Amino acid sequence: MDSPAETLVVRSPRQTVSLLRNRRPRFERFERERERDPAAAAAGPKPSEVYGFVGSITTVIATAVYLVWAYTPEPWLHSLGITYYPTKYWAVAVPAFVMVAAALSLLAYVGSNFLATPPPTSLATIFDEYSRERLTTTDQEEEQGADQEEAERPIEPISDMSIHHINTLMFP
């Protein structure tokens, strides 16, 4: 089996842009098929569109019911025949609980990332099994072929810088 470094393809930005220009968008093909095939057009809306529509309508209705319940005085609700509902305390408590839960979940997420990050003195921050050392120009020519033009490689491939090189740049 090939290692990740051997199967990794590094392309120049110009090659990537030329590939993107030559590729047609995928949705045009489906639109043409729907126009040609009347059965595909008669199939109706996609399930994701239906779920989105139902979800948005449900959210609007739930918000309207919540606001009516929170701001309508209790005698008015009793006059309408609505007698079974939660106390007004929950109109303030539930949004406050949701806001505090969201803030604490964000703090827990950031804290778990800090705990999972190795310290700056660890060697794991310098090299791991996916590190790639910079190739010299002779290695690149052997790997990519000597007949490739310089215009095809406007920038160097992505690689890791050695700690010795960083030290010479930062502390001359």
Side-chain angles (χ1 to χ4, degrees), residues 10-117:
V10 179
R11 297 177 189 235
S12 71
R14 288 183 185 171
Q15 287 176 331
T16 306
V17 170
S18 67
L19 288 174
L20 290 174
R21 279 191 206 134
N22 294 336
R23 191 177 77 179
R24 292 197 292 188
R26 295 181 183 180
F27 61 88
E28 289 179 2
R29 179 176 55 129
F30 295 120
E31 292 296 328
R32 280 183 274 151
E33 288 176 6
R34 285 184 80 122
E35 289 172 359
R36 282 188 228 144
D37 187 16
K46 300 176 191 172
S48 61
E49 293 174 354
V50 174
Y51 293 145
F53 176 73
V54 170
S56 65
I57 295 297
T58 304
T59 302
V60 168
I61 290 173
T63 304
V65 168
Y66 171 78
L67 292 174
V68 166
W69 164 68
Y71 288 111
T72 305
E74 288 185 19
W76 289 13
L77 292 175
H78 286 295
S79 68
L80 293 174
I82 302 172
T83 57
Y84 186 73
Y85 53 86
T87 62
K88 301 289 182 169
Y89 164 80
W90 295 108
V92 175
V94 170
F97 175 75
V98 169
M99 300 267 293
V100 169
L104 288 178
S105 64
L106 286 174
L107 285 174
Y109 177 71
V110 170
S112 66
N113 280 336
F114 277 130
L115 289 175
T117 304

